[in-house]
Coordinates of all heavy atoms in Angstrom, one line a residue:
S2 N 53.2 91.1 100.0 CA 53.9 90.0 99.5 C 55.0 90.4 98.5 O 55.9 89.6 98.2 CB 53.0 88.9 99.0 OG 52.3 89.5 97.9
S3 N 54.9 91.6 97.9 CA 55.9 92.0 96.9 C 57.1 92.5 97.6 O 58.1 92.8 97.0 CB 55.3 93.1 96.0 OG 55.1 94.2 96.8
R4 N 57.1 92.6 98.9 CA 58.3 93.0 99.7 C 59.3 92.0 99.7 O 59.0 90.8 99.7 CB 57.9 93.4 101.1 CG 57.1 94.7 101.2 CD 56.6 94.9 102.6 NE 56.1 96.2 102.7 CZ 56.7 97.2 103.4 NH1 57.8 96.9 104.0 NH2 56.2 98.4 103.5
L5 N 60.6 92.4 99.7 CA 61.7 91.4 99.7 C 61.7 90.6 101.0 O 61.8 91.2 102.1 CB 63.0 92.2 99.5 CG 64.3 91.4 99.5 CD1 64.4 90.6 98.2 CD2 65.5 92.3 99.5
P6 N 61.6 89.3 100.9 CA 61.6 88.5 102.1 C 63.0 88.2 102.6 O 63.9 87.6 102.0 CB 60.9 87.2 101.7 CG 61.0 87.2 100.2 CD 61.4 88.5 99.7
W7 N 63.3 88.7 103.8 CA 64.6 88.6 104.5 C 64.7 87.4 105.5 O 63.7 87.2 106.2 CB 64.9 89.9 105.2 CG 65.3 91.0 104.4 CD1 64.5 91.9 103.8 CD2 66.6 91.4 104.1 NE1 65.2 92.9 103.1 CE2 66.6 92.6 103.3 CE3 67.9 91.0 104.4 CZ2 67.7 93.3 102.8 CZ3 69.0 91.6 103.9 CH2 68.9 92.8 103.1
G8 N 65.9 86.9 105.6 CA 66.1 86.0 106.7 C 67.4 86.5 107.4 O 68.3 87.0 106.8
I9 N 67.4 86.4 108.8 CA 68.5 86.9 109.5 C 69.3 85.7 110.1 O 68.7 84.8 110.7 CB 68.1 87.8 110.7 CG1 67.5 89.1 110.1 CG2 69.3 88.2 111.6 CD1 67.0 90.1 111.1
L10 N 70.6 85.7 109.9 CA 71.4 84.6 110.4 C 72.2 85.1 111.6 O 73.1 86.0 111.5 CB 72.4 84.3 109.2 CG 72.8 82.9 108.9 CD1 72.8 82.6 107.5 CD2 74.2 82.8 109.5
G11 N 71.9 84.6 112.8 CA 72.5 85.1 114.0 C 71.5 85.9 114.8 O 70.6 86.6 114.2
T12 N 71.6 85.9 116.1 CA 70.5 86.5 116.9 C 71.1 87.5 117.9 O 70.5 87.8 118.9 CB 69.7 85.5 117.7 OG1 70.6 84.7 118.4 CG2 68.9 84.6 116.7
G13 N 72.3 88.1 117.6 CA 73.0 89.0 118.6 C 72.5 90.4 118.5 O 71.4 90.7 118.0
N14 N 73.4 91.3 118.9 CA 73.0 92.7 119.1 C 72.6 93.3 117.7 O 71.5 94.0 117.6 CB 74.2 93.5 119.6 CG 74.5 93.2 121.0 OD1 73.5 92.9 121.8 ND2 75.7 93.2 121.4
I15 N 73.4 93.2 116.7 CA 73.1 93.9 115.5 C 72.0 93.2 114.7 O 71.2 93.9 114.0 CB 74.4 94.0 114.6 CG1 74.2 95.0 113.5 CG2 74.8 92.6 114.0 CD1 73.9 96.4 114.0
A16 N 71.8 91.9 114.9 CA 70.7 91.2 114.3 C 69.4 91.9 114.8 O 68.4 92.1 114.0 CB 70.7 89.7 114.7
K17 N 69.3 92.2 116.1 CA 68.1 92.8 116.7 C 67.9 94.2 116.1 O 66.8 94.6 115.8 CB 68.2 92.9 118.2 CG 68.1 91.5 118.8 CD 68.2 91.4 120.3 CE 68.1 90.0 120.7 NZ 68.8 89.7 121.9
A18 N 69.1 95.0 116.0 CA 69.0 96.3 115.5 C 68.4 96.3 114.1 O 67.6 97.1 113.7 CB 70.3 97.0 115.5
F19 N 68.9 95.3 113.3 CA 68.5 95.3 111.9 C 67.0 94.9 111.8 O 66.3 95.4 111.0 CB 69.4 94.3 111.1 CG 69.1 94.2 109.7 CD1 69.5 95.2 108.8 CD2 68.3 93.2 109.1 CE1 69.2 95.2 107.4 CE2 68.0 93.1 107.8 CZ 68.5 94.1 106.9
A20 N 66.6 93.9 112.6 CA 65.2 93.5 112.6 C 64.3 94.6 112.9 O 63.2 94.8 112.3 CB 65.0 92.3 113.6
K21 N 64.7 95.4 113.9 CA 63.9 96.6 114.2 C 63.8 97.6 113.1 O 62.8 98.1 112.7 CB 64.6 97.3 115.5 CG 63.7 98.3 116.2 CD 64.3 98.7 117.5 CE 63.6 100.0 117.9 NZ 64.5 101.0 118.5
G22 N 65.0 97.8 112.4 CA 65.0 98.8 111.3 C 64.2 98.3 110.1 O 63.5 99.0 109.5
L23 N 64.3 97.0 109.9 CA 63.6 96.3 108.7 C 62.1 96.5 108.8 O 61.4 96.7 107.8 CB 64.0 94.9 108.7 CG 63.6 94.1 107.4 CD1 64.1 94.7 106.2 CD2 64.1 92.6 107.5
A24 N 61.7 96.5 110.1 CA 60.2 96.7 110.3 C 59.7 98.0 109.7 O 58.6 98.2 109.3 CB 59.9 96.6 111.8
S25 N 60.6 99.0 109.7 CA 60.1 100.3 109.1 C 60.7 100.5 107.7 O 60.6 101.7 107.2 CB 60.5 101.5 109.9 OG 61.3 101.3 111.0
S26 N 61.2 99.5 107.0 CA 61.7 99.7 105.7 C 60.5 99.8 104.7 O 59.5 99.3 105.0 CB 62.7 98.6 105.3 OG 62.0 97.6 104.7

Side-chain angles (χ1 to χ4, degrees):
S2 59
S3 65
R4 286 171 168 256
L5 181 66
W7 284 86
I9 296 182
L10 215 139
T12 56
N14 290 326
I15 195 62
K17 289 179 182 147
F19 183 77
K21 196 170 161 220
L23 189 56
S25 13
S26 91

